[in-house]
Amino acid sequence: MAKRALITGVTGQDGSYLSELLLSKGYEVHGIVRRASLFNTDRIDHIYHDPHVAGAKLQLHYGDLTDASALRTILEKVEPDEIYNLGAQSHVKVSFDVPEYTGEAVGMGTLRLLEAMRGYIGRTGKGVRFYQAGSSEMFGAAKPPQSEATPFYPRSPYAVAKVAAHWYGVNYREAYGYFISNGILFNHESPRRGETFVTRKITRAVGRIKSGLQEKLYLGNLDAKRDWGFAGDYVEAMWLMLQQEKPDDYVVATGEAHSVKEFVELAFDYAGLDWQKYVELDPRYLRPTEVDYLLGDPSKSRNALNWQPKTSFKGLVTMMVEHDLELARGEAAMHEAGFSATSRGNASQRLSG
Ligand code: NAP
Ligand code: F7E
């Protein structure tokens, strides 16, 4: 019998890579999708098949982490072996604008899902394994390098909610003996990264500037340092955590940090552009409380999970810039053919990110 996985946040960056990974391992994958007035399944359309066709291995269900009864219904219907809780309002700056909603989706949402799992296990006696998508943002102002032993010091409503979700996971593990593992993942990026996160905002701008579609890139704090890896590598660590004998908590990182400025330089250089001519500061993108320096110590996941990142910092920047140069060339061609090319492309500069 194929294993069955349930993923919240299946339409997100990580949800799409994780679905690909699990499908490649023969899993039946079920994803929870929020109803939206426009289609929001772009990142998984390439692996989704018409459910009327026999053997479709990816199935989608409408639901929301703010809706406990829908979560319970989905669990009863899907009967998963593994649950990956990736759903979140995941933008740190936006969490200052919508703190209550962020707490609802990220903190209380995790609790609702755990309660749905508790009800399901209570009724069926079935073993279910649970992955919680924790974040390096939980370390916030803690001194680098950060490991599983580093005390949390969250610096945003998002990070506070992730700390709550982390401890709900630990509590349900200790109270009920459930298999719940918390991943503490440092920043991971890809060509599928949302366009208001800094890496993708930069690589989109490089592509669009190179193609003559954009003149300036407005950014906030260039001095912040992050430990950036490739999302495709990181979802493998999530899966590995649920294949261990015992549940545990793991930091997943590269062990190397770079500043936003370094990312900017490398990305613009790759396209043969001088970043100083294009990048300007816009205080709108500064945060009320910043996280200055995140650098993970991935020793535990390397030793216990035998996991290592395969993609270097330079490889990641190159992958994203190449993708976005190509994307912008397509936009420019559409523009020349008379279609508007600016409405989506500049979105990251109009919104909070
Ligand atoms: P993402 O691209 O922003 O995707 C978030 C997903 O959550 C989307 O599918 C989104 O649906 C869904 N979602 C949002 N609100 C929801 C709600 N109320 N109920 C159900 N689903 C909801 O995030 P990501 O980068 O893939 O990250 C995956 C998870 O890892 C998140 O929990 C994030 O906080 C965490 N994390 C990310 C990183 C990173 O560097 N990427 C690092 C550490 C932890 P829509 O598509 O409809 O918006
Ligand atoms: O910011 C600085 C900003 O929004 C990175 C999420 O996936 O990773 C992500 O959170 C840094 C910050 O990611 C702009 O101030 C400068 O210091 O790309 P970001 P994040 O806040 O680190 C963690 C691990 C998660 O868990 C989150 O879900 O870049 N920065 N100028 C900017 N950031 C943005 N977004 N936009 C700017 O214009």
Side-chain angles (χ1 to χ4, degrees):
M1 275 281 279
K3 272 196 196 171
R4 219 171 294 138
L6 175 64
I7 305 177
T8 70
V10 72
T11 55
Q13 171 188 256
D14 291 5
S16 68
Y17 284 109
L18 180 64
S19 299
E20 282 173 5
L21 178 77
L22 297 178
L23 290 170
S24 77
K25 292 184 181 298
Y27 277 66
E28 186 179 305
V29 177
H30 294 256
I32 297 184
V33 177
R34 298 193 293 171
R35 194 270 160 183
S37 66
L38 289 170
F39 286 119
N40 56 359
T41 55
D42 283 14
R43 292 187 179 103
I44 49 171
D45 282 345
H46 63 292
I47 47 174
Y48 184 72
H49 298 288
D50 185 335
H52 302 98
V53 176
K57 291 280 188 206
L58 173 61
Q59 297 179 36
L60 302 178
H61 310 264
Y62 280 120
D64 198 298
L65 284 160
T66 59
D67 181 346
S69 60
L71 295 176
R72 283 199 300 273
T73 305
I74 293 169
L75 242 74
E76 297 291 341
K77 191 169 161 193
V78 171
E79 301 185 350
D81 301 293
E82 296 173 6
I83 299 174
Y84 294 86
N85 184 30
L86 311 185
Q89 188 304 93
S90 73
H91 202 286
V92 172
K93 175 73 191 329
V94 174
S95 79
F96 289 98
D97 302 333
V98 290
E100 188 179 331
Y101 173 71
T102 304
E104 275 297 324
V106 174
M108 289 301 291
T110 302
L111 182 62
R112 286 185 194 101
L113 190 58
L114 287 169
E115 271 297 279
M117 180 171 90
R118 190 161 77 93
Y120 173 69
I121 292 175
R123 268 188 300 285
T124 62
K126 230 188 124 184
V128 186
R129 296 183 171 209
F130 190 103
Y131 171 80
Q132 169 54 24
S135 165
S136 53
E137 283 293 304
M138 301 189 299
F139 295 126
K143 206 168 141 270
Q146 295 97 0
S147 74
E148 295 81 3
T150 306
F152 297 140
Y153 187 161
R155 296 266 286 171
S156 64
Y158 166 79
V160 172
K162 280 287 181 191
V163 170
H166 174 96
W167 285 112
Y168 284 136
V170 173
N171 181 242
Y172 274 57
R173 185 166 74 205
E174 292 174 353
Y176 308 116
Y178 294 161
F179 193 114
I180 297 169
S181 289
N182 288 296
I184 307 177
L185 272 57
F186 282 62
N187 298 53
H188 45 279
E189 320 291 314
S190 75
R192 296 183 199 165
R193 185 60 144 151
E195 295 185 22
T196 60
F197 296 97
V198 79
T199 56
R200 190 77 201 289
K201 184 171 167 180
I202 295 165
T203 59
R204 280 292 272 141
V206 166
R208 290 173 53 79
I209 290 169
K210 190 76 181 171
S211 284
L213 295 168
Q214 185 172 327
E215 286 175 6
K216 293 282 178 196
L217 168 61
Y218 294 96
L219 292 174
N221 178 15
L222 298 187
D223 296 324
K225 287 187 176 152
R226 290 291 183 274
D227 180 330
W228 278 296
F230 170 51
D233 294 343
Y234 283 39
V235 296
E236 201 176 346
M238 298 177 187
W239 175 76
L240 282 168
M241 284 178 217
L242 295 198
Q243 312 314 310
Q244 303 306 302
E245 241 173 64
K246 290 187 182 149
D248 206 342
D249 305 329
Y250 301 89
V251 158
V252 178
T254 68
E256 199 182 300
H258 298 271
S259 66
V260 174
K261 194 198 273 177
E262 283 177 79
F263 194 107
V264 168
E265 278 170 354
L266 207 54
F268 276 79
D269 267 6
Y270 186 84
L273 298 169
D274 174 1
W275 71 275
Q276 311 223 39
K277 289 191 184 147
Y278 303 100
V279 176
E280 291 195 5
L281 172 78
D282 183 340
R284 255 193 330 162
Y285 302 118
L286 299 173
R287 293 155 188 206
T289 37
E290 175 63 292
V291 169
D292 295 320
Y293 192 175
L294 291 176
L295 169 66
D297 171 359
S299 312
K300 183 173 171 182
S301 48
R302 190 171 52 233
N303 298 330
L305 302 177
N306 199 18
W307 177 88
Q308 288 208 65
K310 300 186 186 88
T311 313
S312 67
F313 177 64
K314 195 170 174 206
L316 175 68
V317 177
T318 305
M319 177 201 307
M320 292 178 69
V321 174
E322 279 179 352
H323 177 276
D324 285 340
L325 284 169
E326 187 61 35
L327 187 61
R329 278 195 282 271
E331 279 181 334
M334 294 283 281
H335 190 57
E336 267 170 41
F339 295 95
S340 165
T342 52
S343 56
R344 274 296 290 278
N346 271 334
S348 66
Q349 308 213 127
R350 282 191 276 114
L351 296 167
S352 184

